[in-house]
Amino acid sequence: PKTDIVFLKVHKSASSTVMNILFRFGETHNLTFAFPQGGGFQLYYPHHFLARFVQGFSPRSPRRFNILCHHMRFLQPEVQKVVSSSAVYFSILRNPVQLMESSFVYYKGASAFSRVRSLEQFLRQPYRYYNPASGDRHYARNLMTFDFGFNPDGDVSPERVQLMLKAIEASFDFLLISEYFDESMVLLKELLCWDLDSVVSFPLNIRDSSTKSPLPDSVVEKLKAWNRLDWEIYTHFNRTFWARIDRDIGRERLRREVKALRERQAELARTCLQGTGSVGPKDIKDSSLRPLQHGGARILGYNLKQGLARELERT
């Protein structure tokens, strides 16, 4: 199994669930993590990543960590100072339309969103609310582009887009797609040589569907245009994702493995969780299992069954 890993945790893309999988794997295999200096939960985001943001890093005695997976703005030369040269780099993407809708609810306090009632209102005159010079602008435009280290207000010419895609391909071994989360976990397992139980998860930080509403087509088109760079990244790597599946796994085996993964997840849910699964924040009995509530979103969590065997409870 591969144990040296860089995961670029892209906002609002099921990345907390992936990070939790990495935490669990690292803890099971006694690996070292590059934690943020000073005990924060992000690596000085939204600044570009620097090696000195990592607790325990010193340029005089550079030490290598096995796993780097907290929120950061990617800058590979600095990342390379804290991980092994053989580390596997990967990330996860989400359809920019749903990503921005999620960002709008979650980051309602961001300067671009704080004065608008709805996404439609924002998109009618985005530059009335959006200031390219503000420190939190990235939550409102091309958030994935920003997390990968590029300019969210950059040029969208075909030449510039190609350069950006080539740069991402040069840095990352593969990109997962959150809309195909189970398929992504099968690919992850394959490429890291992990076993099935290492990639089983319960979805984390998911939003209660009561705060979601379908977007009209006209808004979808405006969202794509406003997040054009993200749209280019997403459509390109959605294609390469399936090409990778076909090359390394094949559709038939993929179906079998996804089925096995879902069955194992359902079995663990029946064994470990009270009720049918996720519950609203007010109904989570153990406060240590209550996820951070942020913006206008209601973030769901879980209740564990009481009296589980010790090893099972740990899992």
Side-chain angles (χ1 to χ4, degrees):
K2 304 269 198 304
T3 54
D4 292 316
I5 291 158
V6 174
F7 171 56
L8 179 63
K9 187 175 190 282
V10 169
H11 286 76
K12 317 310 310 155
S13 305
S15 59
S16 294
T17 307
V18 177
M19 183 162 95
N20 201 52
I21 287 169
L22 294 173
F23 280 165
R24 203 174 67 220
F25 184 86
E27 200 163 22
T28 309
H29 294 82
N30 203 21
L31 304 177
T32 57
F33 284 85
F35 278 118
Q37 183 73 269
F41 52 90
Q42 299 190 334
L43 290 153
Y44 289 78
Y45 188 86
H47 299 287
H48 271 108
F49 176 81
L50 295 174
R52 63 181 168 81
F53 295 164
V54 172
Q55 193 176 308
F57 173 81
S58 146
R60 288 184 302 286
S61 58
R63 66 176 281 214
R64 303 280 187 230
F65 299 87
N66 296 115
I67 298 179
L68 175 65
C69 63
H70 286 66
H71 275 307
M72 63 170 157
R73 189 170 184 209
F74 190 67
L75 186 60
Q76 192 164 19
E78 288 290 315
V79 169
Q80 286 169 332
K81 294 176 185 176
V82 297
V83 295
S84 144
S85 58
S86 62
V88 176
Y89 287 69
F90 78 98
S91 186
I92 187 164
L93 304 174
R94 182 181 183 186
N95 185 313
V97 174
Q98 278 73 45
L99 186 140
M100 183 153 175
E101 188 273 335
S102 175
S103 188
F104 179 78
V105 174
Y106 201 74
Y107 300 112
K108 194 68 186 77
S111 57
F113 295 151
S114 58
R115 294 181 293 134
V116 290
R117 285 187 313 281
S118 67
L119 208 42
E120 283 96 317
Q121 186 188 346
F122 173 81
L123 290 162
R124 274 198 291 276
Q125 295 175 289
Y127 283 108
R128 190 175 160 190
Y129 311 104
Y130 176 83
N131 175 3
S134 75
D136 61 359
R137 77 190 193 284
H138 50 282
Y139 293 123
R141 186 176 205 190
N142 289 317
L143 182 48
M144 292 191 290
T145 301
F146 183 86
D147 285 355
F148 276 95
F150 302 100
N151 177 6
D153 297 300
D155 173 13
V156 295
S157 70
E159 298 76 33
R160 293 288 309 186
V161 166
Q162 278 311 308
L163 280 174
M164 180 175 70
L165 297 176
K166 291 262 184 298
I168 295 172
E169 281 181 336
S171 299
F172 287 84
D173 296 287
F174 56 96
L175 297 184
L176 307 175
I177 303 288
S178 68
E179 283 80 9
Y180 303 102
F181 191 80
D182 292 340
E183 290 84 353
S184 290
M185 290 306 98
V186 168
L187 185 63
L188 184 69
K189 171 177 90 70
E190 181 74 15
L191 297 177
L192 296 180
C193 306
W194 289 8
D195 63 4
L196 181 73
D197 269 11
S198 296
V199 297
V200 172
S201 65
F202 298 146
L204 292 186
N205 266 9
I206 52 170
R207 201 168 109 210
D208 179 6
S209 58
S210 69
T211 59
K212 297 178 187 172
S213 49
L215 298 164
D217 290 347
S218 57
V219 173
V220 168
E221 290 312 312
K222 280 181 182 168
L223 276 171
K224 285 183 195 171
W226 177 248
N227 294 284
R228 175 69 189 281
L229 293 171
D230 272 12
W231 185 250
E232 294 284 357
I233 290 174
Y234 179 76
T235 50
H236 176 80
F237 287 104
N238 192 358
R239 278 197 303 276
T240 61
F241 173 80
W242 292 104
R244 190 73 184 253
I245 293 262
D246 289 339
R247 196 184 79 204
D248 292 352
I249 298 172
R251 299 289 171 112
E252 193 42 56
R253 196 177 126 218
L254 177 72
R255 272 191 287 275
R256 288 199 306 274
E257 300 236 1
V258 165
K259 183 167 177 277
L261 180 66
R262 288 175 180 163
E263 281 168 0
R264 180 68 178 132
Q265 187 175 325
E267 179 192 349
L268 280 169
R270 282 193 302 273
T271 310
C272 303
L273 301 180
Q274 291 178 29
T276 52
S278 51
V279 294
K282 286 199 285 291
D283 300 318
I284 300 167
K285 299 181 182 75
D286 180 347
S287 60
S288 70
L289 295 176
R290 192 174 298 136
L292 171 74
Q293 302 297 315
H294 197 71
R298 278 181 72 227
I299 307 297
L300 304 178
Y302 299 95
N303 286 315
L304 289 184
K305 281 185 181 163
Q306 298 304 300
L308 291 173
R310 193 127 153 242
E311 198 45 45
L312 193 58
E313 185 174 49
R314 202 188 125 99
T315 303

